[in-house]
């Protein structure tokens, strides 16, 4: 587990790099649950795991970063919740779409939007690619 203290802000930060394998999503979920419990944020684990799973799955399946590039996850406590980031080397940005009720896929960002109370977005990052972020908090969790 890579929960590392961040000296400049004295907060904890969990950073991991992953290959573009769907198997890494489950591993990331397990590690995030352990980290949240260690931070005293275990009540957010179910929602945070789901958000991380959706964002990381999007990066693994759709981002298509250049060969040999890994996907990075970064999480840190933020205002009673947790900020989750997924960094990849692709410029392709995810788009929140309206999906028909009978569709079998395409609901990931809608789910992230609902769980986080619309507290998510896409940002440029240093170097190539983008980061997709979301904040999971007790107040933002959908009923």
């Amino acid at each position: 587990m890579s929960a590392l203290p961040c000296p400049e802000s004295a907060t904890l930060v969990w950073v991991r790099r992953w290959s573009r394998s769907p198997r890494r999503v489950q591993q990331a979920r397990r590690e995030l649950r352990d980290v949240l419990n260690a931070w005293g944020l275990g009540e957010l684990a179910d929602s945070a795991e789901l958000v991380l799973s959706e964002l990381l799955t999007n990066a693994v399946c759709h981002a298509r970063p250049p060969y040999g590039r890994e996907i990075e996850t970064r999480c840190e406590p933020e205002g009673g919740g947790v900020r989750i980031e997924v960094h990849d080397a692709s410029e392709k940005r995810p788009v929140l779409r309206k999906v028909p009720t009978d569709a079998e896929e395409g609901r990931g960002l809608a789910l992230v939007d609902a769980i986080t109370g619309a507290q998510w977005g896409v940002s440029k990052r240093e170097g190539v690619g983008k980061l997709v972020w979301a904040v999971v908090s007790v107040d933002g969790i959908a009923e």
Side-chain angles (χ1 to χ4, degrees), residues 87 91 93 122-133:
H87 299 238
E91 299 294 333
R93 297 170 71 91
V122 183
S123 304
K124 300 239 1 123
R125 68 184 199 126
E126 197 172 307
V128 299
K130 66 181 174 304
L131 73 91
V132 182
W133 60 271

Side-chain angles (χ1 to χ4, degrees), residues 69-82:
R69 297 287 183 135
E70 294 179 311
I71 299 166
E72 182 177 281
T73 53
R74 178 182 178 86
C75 301
E76 62 185 307
E78 181 176 290
V82 63

